[in-house]
Every structure is written in C-alpha cells, then in structure tokens.
Amino acid sequence: MSRIAARNINKTYKYYKSEISRFLSWFGFNSTPSESYEVLKDISFFVEPGEALGVVGENGAGKSTLLKVLTGIVKPTSGEVQVNGRVAAILELGMGFNMDFTGRQNAKNALGMMGFSPSEIDRVLPEVEDFAEIGEYFDQSARMYSSGMLARVAFAVAIAFTPDVLIVDEALSVGDVYFQGKCFQKMLDIKNSGTSILLVSHDMQSVCSFCDRALLLKKGTVAAYGTPKDIAQKYERMVNSYSNRDVEIEPLNTARQVETDTVKAKLIKAEILGKDGENKKNFVSEEGVSLQFSYQILEDLNDAHFGIRITDRLGNSAFETNTYCMREQGKQLKKGDIAEVSFDFDINIISGAYTVDVAIANEGHSDTFFREYISMDNNVLIIDVVPNKDSIIYHGYCNLKPKVTVRSV
C-alpha cells in the first residue's frame, strides 16, 4: 500500500465581490464568484514506504498548496488524497510555534498536538534539545530566535518520534551547512527504516542526491515526473528559459539548413578526445581530456559564452564552469557562423560514469549570470572514468593531490 496516494487533485480559490456572497455560498445559495484561480490542476502521484519524492517548481507553481492539501490544512476542491500512517510536516518556518513560548514549551506543545502523551513527550524532550543544539536558547522566548534556530527546533520536533511520512518545505534552506548535513543524514536514516519523505526544494543537488523520484510543477500542473536527474535538467531549462528542449545532434551539412525564430543556436557536434587526439569515452582518472563541441549560430550574438558541466549518475555536478566565469572574452558571432569550442583539462575526478552537458549564453553580467540563455543541451556525451592505479586512494569527487608533512615535536 502506498504511503501517499494523490489522485486527480484540484484546488480552486474563489473570490467574491462581498463577504455576504461568500457566506451565502457556504449554505448552497447561488452566489457566483467574481473570479476563480486554479492553484492545482489534476495532480496525481504515489509515494511508497521508504521512498523520497522531490517536488520542484518555480515560485507560484503550487508546491506549498500541494503540501497543505496533503497534510489536511487545506481541503482539495476535487480529487482524493490518502496518507497512511503518522505524518510530521515542516511547512512555513515557525508555523505552529508561539513566539512568546520558549523552545521547550513550543516543543511540548507541538508534540502534544501530534497526539503524544505527557510521559512520552518528557522522554524524548532531551533528545529534541540535543538535536536542535541551540544551547541555553532552548529555554528562552522564540522571539529571540533566528530563522536558523527556528528551523533547528522545528526539525528536531518533527523527527522526535520517527514518522511514517515526513514532509519538508524548504525550511532547511535557512540553516547552516553543518545543520543541513545533520538533517539530511537523519532523513536518510529514517528513510532507510521505512519513512516516506516528501521534499520541496529549489536545491537541485539535494533533490538529485537524496530523492528516488521527482515531480516538476508548472502553473499548478504536473509538467514532468521521473528520475531526479531528468527533472533537475527540465527545471533548469525552464527557469533559465533555454530554447533547445531536446538534444538532437545532426550532421553539419544538415544543421546548416535549420532556420527558426526562437532558437538562436543549435548544437551540431560534440566529442571527447584523448591525448592522442582520438575520439574516446573511457579515461583513466587524472588523464588529459579535450572536450570539443560546435554550435551553429542562427541569430547574431554580441557576447557569446560557452559552458560545460560534468554530472554523476544521480545528477550531482562534479564540475561546471563557463567562459564568462573563466574571465574569457565573449565572442561576437554572426548568423551562419559555426562556433567551435574546446575545453582542455585533466579529468581529476573519482572513477565512475558521468554525463556531459554543454551550453551557450549571451551577455554575461554580475558574477555568474547571463542576460540571455540560448541553449542547454543535456547528456550529449558519456565519460567512463576508471581508477588511476598510480595515484593515491581517496573518496569524494576529486583528488586534491595533498602534500602531507608529519613531524615529531
């Protein structure tokens, strides 16, 4: 049996010209709303025991409303929601907390509302205090708390008794790196013990590394549903308004004939060369690599920049950069030009299978942004990296090649 089953969920908010009209509608009188807004439209998905589902989307896509429907805070206009087991949720930061209460009082109050007895609460309260790690502030008014301290207490309360379903809505994004890592490790532990987790986040690295599947919402509808890596790529292209939606590398003489009003550049070639100049996909870690690709320019670009990204099988970025971030001068390109790009480097990463994304953008500004995102092409190449037997043994993404000195004093 699925822990969470959402079937054809719709949520419409109705606006009336007056409160009298709204009041009459509650009792069945024919009171037509002046305006209605569909927040959720035909949402369906399932989450199994021990599974983590990531929910991503732009602001206003309906993510928070969906979570409120799942937790029973908001009733759907139509559709069916079934949640099996005890639910713990961290929605809006500080939601359910009384700012005049201390952290300890808020923890007791929250656990009491979750249905636990005073003796059960007293038993786990020291664990809540230890996990939150806010010291003497635990017995001071929540008005004195920073957003990170509120997040610490809220999460410690949510996992005090291992829930069957844990729902987290961006609340951990305000915490420090240490506490975020601690929370994700705890979520991994309870996930492995059978807890189902619903995670809303704009951090695609977290979604890719933690979640088993992901759901992309766009204007209240399910735009995509699949692996975290696929959803992360679709989300990135959506928020940056990249033109190319699918990778389709054509022969050069065919691609030259492509003309379009929306796409300003088209990827026509991508390959990886070894030190000998031969095309290959298998490399020894730390071996020299030449990543080469070409774009056909379909519209004039006054400040073109090119980027690469190497991701692991989960979609986590092992390395990414672009010519603007490398402080290279942008290129002025004319319609009909072929831009040939080469990134040369030592593939100094841990052994494994990786995919390569390439991109073109126009007019860099600020530190890492562009005024115009032209094309993002995902999974254009595959790199298989095998261990370097002549190197040190290490874990992580890259070999920092440390030099160590040990002395007795």
Side-chain angles (χ1 to χ4, degrees), residues 277-323:
E278 294 295 320
N279 195 329
K280 58 189 293 189
K281 63 172 262 187
N282 298 307
F283 293 87
V284 176
S285 181
E286 304 176 31
E287 184 179 350
V289 170
S290 180
L291 173 55
Q292 301 181 7
F293 55 95
S294 301
Y295 274 100
Q296 181 184 11
I297 307 305
L298 306 177
E299 296 289 342
D300 292 353
L301 302 175
N302 64 313
D303 184 33
H305 286 276
F306 301 88
I308 61 169
R309 177 171 57 197
I310 300 173
T311 61
D312 66 12
R313 61 183 180 83
L314 296 177
N316 296 307
S317 175
F319 178 80
E320 58 185 294
T321 191
N322 58 65
T323 53

Side-chain angles (χ1 to χ4, degrees), residues 250-299:
E250 301 182 25
L252 185 59
N253 56 355
T254 304
R256 282 185 183 276
Q257 302 171 5
V258 176
E259 296 290 338
T260 172
D261 293 331
T262 57
V263 180
K264 295 186 177 182
K266 183 176 180 64
L267 182 67
I268 57 175
K269 180 182 178 182
E271 59 183 355
I272 304 177
L273 307 181
K275 292 180 293 185
D276 56 2
E278 294 295 320
N279 195 329
K280 58 189 293 189
K281 63 172 262 187
N282 298 307
F283 293 87
V284 176
S285 181
E286 304 176 31
E287 184 179 350
V289 170
S290 180
L291 173 55
Q292 301 181 7
F293 55 95
S294 301
Y295 274 100
Q296 181 184 11
I297 307 305
L298 306 177
E299 296 289 342

